[in-house]
Protein backbone atom coordinates (compact mmCIF):
# COMPACT_ATOMS: atom_id res chain seq x y z
CA UNK A 1 0.00 0.00 0.00
CA UNK A 2 1.27 3.47 -0.92
CA UNK A 3 4.40 1.96 -2.38
CA UNK A 4 5.55 0.25 0.80
CA UNK A 5 5.21 -3.40 -0.15
CA UNK A 6 6.41 -3.56 -3.74
CA UNK A 7 5.03 -5.90 -6.38
CA UNK A 8 4.77 -8.86 -3.99
CA UNK A 9 2.21 -7.15 -1.79
CA UNK A 10 -0.48 -5.81 -4.04
CA UNK A 11 -3.98 -6.63 -2.81
CA UNK A 12 -7.46 -5.20 -3.24
CA UNK A 13 -10.01 -7.11 -1.20
CA UNK A 14 -12.78 -4.77 -2.43
CA UNK A 15 -12.30 -6.35 -5.87
CA UNK A 16 -11.87 -9.90 -4.59
CA UNK A 17 -8.13 -9.68 -5.25
CA UNK A 18 -6.66 -11.47 -2.25
CA UNK A 19 -3.11 -10.41 -2.85
CA UNK A 20 0.16 -11.52 -4.32
CA UNK A 21 2.32 -13.59 -2.03
CA UNK A 22 6.05 -13.36 -1.37
CA UNK A 23 6.04 -17.08 -0.52
CA UNK A 24 5.93 -18.90 -3.83
CA UNK A 25 2.93 -21.22 -4.12
CA UNK A 26 1.30 -19.90 -0.95
CA UNK A 27 -1.56 -18.30 -2.88
CA UNK A 28 -2.94 -21.66 -4.03
CA UNK A 29 -4.23 -22.91 -0.64
CA UNK A 30 -5.76 -19.48 -0.01
CA UNK A 31 -7.62 -19.81 -3.29
CA UNK A 32 -8.90 -23.23 -2.18
CA UNK A 33 -10.28 -21.44 0.90
CA UNK A 34 -11.95 -18.78 -1.23
CA UNK A 35 -13.43 -21.45 -3.50
CA UNK A 36 -14.67 -23.43 -0.49
CA UNK A 37 -16.33 -20.28 0.87
CA UNK A 38 -18.03 -19.69 -2.50
CA UNK A 39 -19.28 -23.27 -2.53
CA UNK A 40 -20.52 -23.23 1.07
CA UNK A 41 -22.19 -19.84 0.75
CA UNK A 42 -23.73 -20.87 -2.55
CA UNK A 43 -22.75 -17.75 -4.48
CA UNK A 44 -21.34 -17.76 -7.97
CA UNK A 45 -17.74 -17.05 -6.99
CA UNK A 46 -14.77 -18.87 -8.44
CA UNK A 47 -11.33 -18.88 -6.80
CA UNK A 48 -8.49 -18.31 -9.27
CA UNK A 49 -4.80 -18.60 -8.45
CA UNK A 50 -1.92 -17.44 -10.65
CA UNK A 51 1.31 -19.36 -10.26
CA UNK A 52 4.59 -19.30 -12.16
CA UNK A 53 6.31 -22.35 -13.63
CA UNK A 54 8.77 -22.22 -10.73
CA UNK A 55 6.16 -21.71 -8.02
CA UNK A 56 4.16 -24.63 -9.36
CA UNK A 57 6.91 -26.96 -8.10
CA UNK A 58 6.07 -25.99 -4.54
CA UNK A 59 4.38 -28.67 -2.45
CA UNK A 60 1.61 -26.25 -1.46
CA UNK A 61 0.58 -25.86 -5.07
CA UNK A 62 0.40 -29.62 -5.67
CA UNK A 63 -1.45 -30.17 -2.38
CA UNK A 64 -3.94 -27.53 -3.45
CA UNK A 65 -4.64 -29.33 -6.72
CA UNK A 66 -5.39 -32.47 -4.74
CA UNK A 67 -7.57 -30.70 -2.17
CA UNK A 68 -9.53 -28.84 -4.83
CA UNK A 69 -10.21 -32.10 -6.65
CA UNK A 70 -11.18 -34.00 -3.48
CA UNK A 71 -13.61 -31.26 -2.42
CA UNK A 72 -14.74 -30.54 -5.99
CA UNK A 73 -14.07 -26.84 -5.47
CA UNK A 74 -14.88 -24.05 -7.95
CA UNK A 75 -11.14 -23.33 -8.21
CA UNK A 76 -8.96 -22.56 -11.21
CA UNK A 77 -5.20 -22.85 -11.17
CA UNK A 78 -3.59 -20.68 -13.83
CA UNK A 79 0.06 -21.56 -14.47
CA UNK A 80 1.91 -18.71 -16.14
CA UNK A 81 4.68 -20.69 -17.78
CA UNK A 82 7.17 -18.08 -18.96
CA UNK A 83 10.00 -20.59 -19.25
CA UNK A 84 12.09 -19.37 -16.31
CA UNK A 85 12.13 -19.33 -12.54
CA UNK A 86 14.76 -16.69 -11.70
CA UNK A 87 17.59 -18.04 -13.91
CA UNK A 88 16.45 -21.68 -14.10
CA UNK A 89 14.87 -22.73 -17.38
CA UNK A 90 11.71 -24.80 -17.07
CA UNK A 91 13.30 -27.86 -18.74
CA UNK A 92 15.77 -28.06 -15.87
CA UNK A 93 13.21 -27.91 -13.11
CA UNK A 94 9.89 -29.38 -14.18
CA UNK A 95 9.80 -33.11 -14.84
CA UNK A 96 6.65 -33.21 -16.93
CA UNK A 97 6.42 -31.53 -20.34
CA UNK A 98 2.81 -30.62 -19.72
CA UNK A 99 1.15 -29.00 -16.77
CA UNK A 100 -2.12 -30.47 -17.97
CA UNK A 101 -0.65 -33.98 -17.51
CA UNK A 102 0.32 -32.99 -13.99
CA UNK A 103 -3.21 -31.79 -13.28
CA UNK A 104 -4.65 -34.96 -14.75
CA UNK A 105 -2.58 -36.91 -12.22
CA UNK A 106 -4.56 -35.18 -9.49
CA UNK A 107 -7.88 -35.78 -11.23
CA UNK A 108 -8.29 -32.29 -12.71
CA UNK A 109 -8.89 -31.46 -16.36
CA UNK A 110 -6.69 -28.81 -17.91
CA UNK A 111 -6.13 -26.68 -20.99
CA UNK A 112 -2.87 -25.37 -22.46
CA UNK A 113 -3.17 -22.11 -24.28
CA UNK A 114 -0.94 -19.51 -25.94
CA UNK A 115 -0.84 -16.97 -23.12
CA UNK A 116 0.20 -14.19 -25.49
CA UNK A 117 -3.08 -14.55 -27.40
CA UNK A 118 -5.73 -12.51 -25.57
CA UNK A 119 -8.61 -14.22 -27.35
CA UNK A 120 -7.34 -17.76 -26.73
CA UNK A 121 -6.96 -16.99 -23.01
CA UNK A 122 -10.41 -15.38 -22.89
CA UNK A 123 -12.07 -18.42 -24.48
CA UNK A 124 -10.21 -20.97 -22.35
CA UNK A 125 -10.83 -19.01 -19.14
CA UNK A 126 -14.52 -18.80 -20.01
CA UNK A 127 -14.67 -22.56 -20.40
CA UNK A 128 -13.03 -23.39 -17.05
CA UNK A 129 -14.98 -20.69 -15.18
CA UNK A 130 -18.24 -22.01 -16.63
CA UNK A 131 -17.33 -25.54 -15.60
CA UNK A 132 -16.51 -24.43 -12.05
CA UNK A 133 -19.76 -22.46 -11.73
CA UNK A 134 -21.81 -25.39 -12.97
CA UNK A 135 -20.40 -27.63 -10.22
CA UNK A 136 -17.90 -29.37 -12.53
CA UNK A 137 -15.02 -28.70 -10.14
CA UNK A 138 -11.51 -27.34 -10.49
CA UNK A 139 -9.34 -27.03 -13.59
CA UNK A 140 -5.84 -26.01 -14.50
CA UNK A 141 -5.12 -23.48 -17.23
CA UNK A 142 -1.54 -23.41 -18.50
CA UNK A 143 -0.70 -20.16 -20.28
CA UNK A 144 2.48 -20.37 -22.31
CA UNK A 145 4.14 -17.02 -21.78
CA UNK A 146 7.36 -15.21 -22.56
CA UNK A 147 9.61 -13.18 -20.28
CA UNK A 148 10.61 -9.72 -21.46
CA UNK A 149 12.82 -8.84 -18.52
CA UNK A 150 15.34 -10.43 -16.20
CA UNK A 151 14.38 -11.59 -12.73
CA UNK A 152 15.50 -8.30 -11.18
CA UNK A 153 16.65 -4.87 -12.33
CA UNK A 154 20.18 -5.33 -13.61
CA UNK A 155 19.89 -9.10 -14.26
CA UNK A 156 22.42 -9.63 -17.09
CA UNK A 157 20.39 -12.66 -18.26
CA UNK A 158 23.49 -14.59 -19.34
CA UNK A 159 21.38 -17.75 -19.13
CA UNK A 160 19.33 -16.73 -22.17
CA UNK A 161 20.20 -17.42 -25.80
CA UNK A 162 21.53 -14.63 -28.03
CA UNK A 163 18.63 -12.79 -29.62
CA UNK A 164 15.99 -14.63 -27.56
CA UNK A 165 14.59 -11.52 -25.91
CA UNK A 166 14.69 -9.49 -29.16
CA UNK A 167 12.71 -12.23 -30.88
CA UNK A 168 9.99 -12.46 -28.26
CA UNK A 169 9.67 -8.67 -28.07
CA UNK A 170 9.25 -8.54 -31.82
CA UNK A 171 7.06 -11.60 -32.39
CA UNK A 172 5.41 -12.56 -29.10
CA UNK A 173 4.39 -9.26 -27.53
CA UNK A 174 0.78 -9.81 -26.40
CA UNK A 175 -0.09 -6.12 -26.89
CA UNK A 176 1.30 -6.05 -30.44
CA UNK A 177 -0.51 -9.29 -31.28
CA UNK A 178 -3.78 -7.98 -29.85
CA UNK A 179 -3.48 -4.77 -31.84
CA UNK A 180 -2.68 -6.64 -35.06
CA UNK A 181 -5.71 -8.90 -34.74
CA UNK A 182 -8.16 -6.19 -33.70
CA UNK A 183 -6.93 -3.67 -36.28
CA UNK A 184 -7.44 -6.28 -39.00
CA UNK A 185 -11.12 -6.55 -38.04
CA UNK A 186 -11.53 -2.75 -38.21
CA UNK A 187 -13.25 -2.67 -34.80
CA UNK A 188 -10.51 -0.36 -33.48
CA UNK A 189 -8.55 1.73 -36.01
CA UNK A 190 -4.80 2.41 -35.98
CA UNK A 191 -5.52 6.05 -35.01
CA UNK A 192 -7.63 4.96 -32.05
CA UNK A 193 -4.88 2.59 -30.90
CA UNK A 194 -2.32 5.40 -31.17
CA UNK A 195 -4.57 7.65 -29.08
CA UNK A 196 -4.96 4.95 -26.41
CA UNK A 197 -1.17 4.37 -26.38
CA UNK A 198 -0.53 8.10 -25.96
CA UNK A 199 -3.12 8.43 -23.17
CA UNK A 200 -1.74 5.47 -21.24
CA UNK A 201 1.84 6.67 -21.76
CA UNK A 202 0.87 10.10 -20.36
CA UNK A 203 -0.81 8.49 -17.33
CA UNK A 204 2.36 6.52 -16.57
CA UNK A 205 4.61 9.57 -17.05
CA UNK A 206 2.38 11.65 -14.73
CA UNK A 207 2.39 8.91 -12.07
CA UNK A 208 6.19 8.65 -12.19
CA UNK A 209 6.62 12.41 -12.03
CA UNK A 210 4.26 12.87 -9.11
CA UNK A 211 5.85 9.96 -7.22
CA UNK A 212 9.31 11.50 -7.70
CA UNK A 213 8.08 14.93 -6.67
CA UNK A 214 6.27 13.66 -3.55
CA UNK A 215 7.87 14.41 -0.17
CA UNK A 216 9.63 11.60 1.68
CA UNK A 217 7.23 9.97 4.17
CA UNK A 218 7.83 10.81 7.85
CA UNK A 219 9.20 8.12 10.18
CA UNK A 220 5.84 8.11 11.98
CA UNK A 221 4.21 6.58 8.86
CA UNK A 222 6.37 3.47 8.92
CA UNK A 223 3.59 1.21 10.25
CA UNK A 224 0.60 2.71 8.45
CA UNK A 225 -0.84 0.86 5.43
CA UNK A 226 1.28 -2.18 6.28
CA UNK A 227 -1.14 -4.35 8.24
CA UNK A 228 -4.87 -4.74 7.70
CA UNK A 229 -6.79 -4.44 10.96
CA UNK A 230 -9.72 -6.81 10.68
C1 LIG B 1 8.97 -20.48 -1.10
C2 LIG B 1 9.87 -19.57 -1.89
N1 LIG B 1 11.03 -20.07 -2.39
C3 LIG B 1 11.86 -19.27 -3.11
C4 LIG B 1 11.54 -17.94 -3.31
C5 LIG B 1 12.50 -17.03 -4.10
N2 LIG B 1 11.97 -16.75 -5.44
C6 LIG B 1 11.31 -15.60 -5.69
S1 LIG B 1 10.77 -15.52 -7.28
C7 LIG B 1 11.42 -17.05 -7.64
C8 LIG B 1 11.24 -17.65 -9.01
C9 LIG B 1 9.79 -17.78 -9.39
O1 LIG B 1 9.66 -18.32 -10.66
P1 LIG B 1 8.25 -18.47 -11.35
O2 LIG B 1 7.28 -19.11 -10.44
O3 LIG B 1 8.47 -19.15 -12.66
O4 LIG B 1 7.74 -16.96 -11.52
P2 LIG B 1 8.23 -15.82 -12.53
O5 LIG B 1 9.37 -15.12 -11.84
O6 LIG B 1 8.61 -16.45 -13.81
O7 LIG B 1 7.02 -14.94 -12.65
C10 LIG B 1 12.05 -17.60 -6.53
C11 LIG B 1 12.72 -18.92 -6.50
C12 LIG B 1 10.32 -17.46 -2.75
N3 LIG B 1 9.92 -16.19 -2.90
N4 LIG B 1 9.49 -18.30 -2.06
MG1 LIG C 1 8.50 -18.33 -14.54
Amino acid sequence: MRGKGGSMHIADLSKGMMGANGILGAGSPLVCGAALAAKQLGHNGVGISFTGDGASNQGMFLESLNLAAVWNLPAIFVVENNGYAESTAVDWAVASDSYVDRANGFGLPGITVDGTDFFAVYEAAGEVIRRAREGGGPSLLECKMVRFFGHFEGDAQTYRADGEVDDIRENHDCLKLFRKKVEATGIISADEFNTIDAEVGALIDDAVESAKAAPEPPASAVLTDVYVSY
Side-chain angles (χ1 to χ4, degrees), residues 5-166:
S7 63
M8 291 278 190
H9 301 283
I10 293 170
D12 189 348
L13 298 182
S14 74
K15 294 190 169 56
M17 197 284 198
M18 293 166 61
N21 205 310
I23 309 297
L24 294 180
S28 320
L30 301 182
V31 160
C32 286
L36 179 63
K39 188 173 170 171
Q40 296 297 97
L41 297 172
H43 62 67
N44 223 10
V46 174
I48 305 184
S49 77
F50 295 86
T51 309
D53 44 280
S56 71
N57 282 335
Q58 280 288 98
M60 280 177 285
F61 174 75
L62 302 165
E63 290 170 36
S64 299
L65 294 184
N66 181 61
L67 191 66
V70 168
W71 287 350
N72 198 42
L73 297 176
I76 290 156
F77 300 92
V78 178
V79 176
E80 293 181 63
N81 180 2
N82 63 6
Y84 295 95
E86 294 196 353
S87 55
T88 305
V90 67
D91 296 349
W92 288 66
V94 182
S96 166
D97 285 340
S98 157
Y99 282 88
V100 170
D101 286 351
R102 262 192 179 186
N104 291 164
F106 288 96
L108 277 72
I111 305 176
T112 301
V113 74
D114 176 356
T116 67
D117 179 345
F118 170 86
F119 299 99
V121 174
Y122 181 84
E123 291 295 327
E127 187 180 326
V128 291
I129 290 170
R130 218 169 12 254
R131 182 189 299 133
R133 287 201 166 131
E134 288 168 358
S139 313
L140 181 143
L141 180 59
E142 178 189 3
C143 296
K144 295 247 188 209
M145 310 296 296
V146 288
R147 206 178 82 179
F148 273 23
F149 294 95
H151 182 69
F152 54 89
E153 282 306 324
D155 179 355
Q157 299 192 75
T158 48
Y159 48 88
R160 303 191 78 168
D162 286 344
E164 181 183 331
V165 177
D166 295 336

